[in-house]
Amino acid sequence: MDLLIILRVVIITVLVTIIAYLVNVYSKQREVATLTLLAFFLAYLAERVYAVLGEPHIIVTNWVVEISIGMVLSATALLIPIVMMRLRDFYIFPPLVGIALIAVNAVTSYYRNLIVQLYNIIFYLMGFNIWYPALDLINRVYIQNDYIALFANPVDVLLIPDLSYTYLLISGILLALPAFILFAILAWREKSGKALGFFIGLIIIFAGATVSANQGYIPFELIGICILAAGIFGLIDKYVYRKTETKTIIKKSAP
């Protein structure tokens, strides 16, 4: 079995373990913070499963859907420290921004595809047939080769390039940057192991996705997920902040 596939399976296993733990905690405590953490990891699991099933073409993926899941992840990541800090006036802010970004991406992607097809029709009417729809569709769904994409639809690749990844990166930064700041504040001021785990783990995941080509980010992702898990399971509180459960002994004075 390929090493990257094994790493992906490990990542999904860690995510499922975290989700099961959070479900158990929420069933006992019914805290909003736990529910927010659960929403984040459920979105993360959905993104991983979607990507894993899409690469061997078990399902037909759509870049707009992938970006939308990324926006949900970024919004829930920002919501977590806001809930942990009990900033109730800002609870609605991350969901509203996430929904707005998803809507903008969907509309712009639709109009971009419309403009690409319009340009191809204009070229065809001018006597230049440079678009091969069948080959373009087969390549998008099954092959996903950049050279075939350039030959099948040069307008889509060269004349009107898809800037969706750039849009995802910029939008993610807009949501992630305040989340990093809030997690850092919580980790420093409140000595929160969960916050420190998110601060370090998300930076590693984000940096790996930014600087690593193709699937080279997967080891970064695994390291980041494990750090997140360490924060969730209380290991950072125990071994970094040296937090221990203390029992208060009340001494009764004799009458």
Side-chain angles (χ1 to χ4, degrees):
M1 185 180 291
D2 185 79
L3 178 60
L4 292 179
I5 296 178
I6 295 176
L7 293 180
R8 287 186 181 279
V9 172
V10 173
I11 290 172
I12 292 176
T13 302
V14 174
L15 289 172
V16 170
T17 304
I18 293 174
I19 290 170
Y21 171 78
L22 290 173
V23 168
N24 182 54
V25 171
Y26 182 73
S27 65
K28 296 177 180 178
Q29 300 178 358
R30 303 287 180 178
E31 293 181 345
V32 177
T34 305
L35 189 62
T36 309
L37 288 168
L38 185 59
F40 172 82
F41 285 106
L42 284 172
Y44 206 128
L45 179 63
E47 193 276 334
R48 285 294 84 205
V49 172
Y50 189 81
V52 169
L53 295 179
E55 288 180 3
H57 312 299
I58 296 176
I59 62 173
V60 178
T61 58
N62 187 297
W63 187 230
V64 177
V65 176
E66 293 183 23
I67 292 179
S68 297
I69 297 176
M71 293 300 98
V72 172
L73 273 173
S74 299
T76 50
L78 176 56
L79 184 59
I80 290 169
I82 290 176
V83 172
M84 291 176 68
M85 298 174 78
R86 295 181 175 85
L87 303 174
R88 298 182 184 277
D89 293 339
F90 296 94
Y91 278 13
I92 196 66
F93 176 74
L96 284 180
V97 175
I99 292 171
L101 290 173
I102 291 172
V104 170
N105 174 61
V107 172
T108 55
S109 297
Y110 169 77
Y111 279 109
R112 179 189 172 276
N113 292 334
L114 189 63
I115 292 172
V116 168
Q117 293 178 10
L118 180 61
Y119 268 78
N120 280 317
I121 292 173
I122 292 173
F123 276 113
Y124 179 78
L125 294 176
M126 293 173 61
F128 301 98
N129 186 15
I130 58 176
W131 179 35
Y132 303 94
L135 180 60
D136 187 25
L137 179 62
I138 292 172
N139 182 56
R140 289 176 185 274
V141 176
Y142 299 106
I143 305 174
Q144 298 177 353
N145 182 276
D146 292 338
Y147 296 104
I148 296 177
L150 178 60
F151 172 77
N153 197 344
V155 172
D156 184 62
V157 177
L158 294 178
L159 187 61
I160 310 176
D162 190 353
L163 301 178
S164 297
Y165 182 79
T166 304
Y167 170 81
L168 173 62
L169 186 61
I170 295 174
S171 302
I173 291 175
L174 291 175
L175 287 171
L177 186 58
F180 290 144
I181 295 173
L182 292 177
F183 278 128
I185 293 173
L186 279 169
W188 173 72
R189 190 181 67 183
E190 304 293 338
K191 303 297 183 183
S192 170
K194 291 184 180 67
L196 183 59
F198 267 90
F199 179 72
I200 298 175
L202 289 180
I203 286 180
I204 292 175
I205 294 171
F206 187 81
T210 303
V211 304
S212 300
N214 298 326
Q215 297 181 345
Y217 67 90
I218 295 178
F220 291 90
E221 185 179 20
L222 178 58
I223 295 172
I225 289 295
C226 289
I227 294 175
L228 292 178
I232 294 297
F233 293 135
L235 297 178
I236 295 179
D237 280 327
K238 183 177 180 180
Y239 295 105
V240 176
Y241 291 122
R242 304 294 182 181
K243 290 183 179 180
T244 57
E245 294 184 2
T246 58
K247 295 183 179 180
T248 303
I249 301 177
I250 303 176
K251 296 182 178 180
K252 296 182 178 180
S253 56

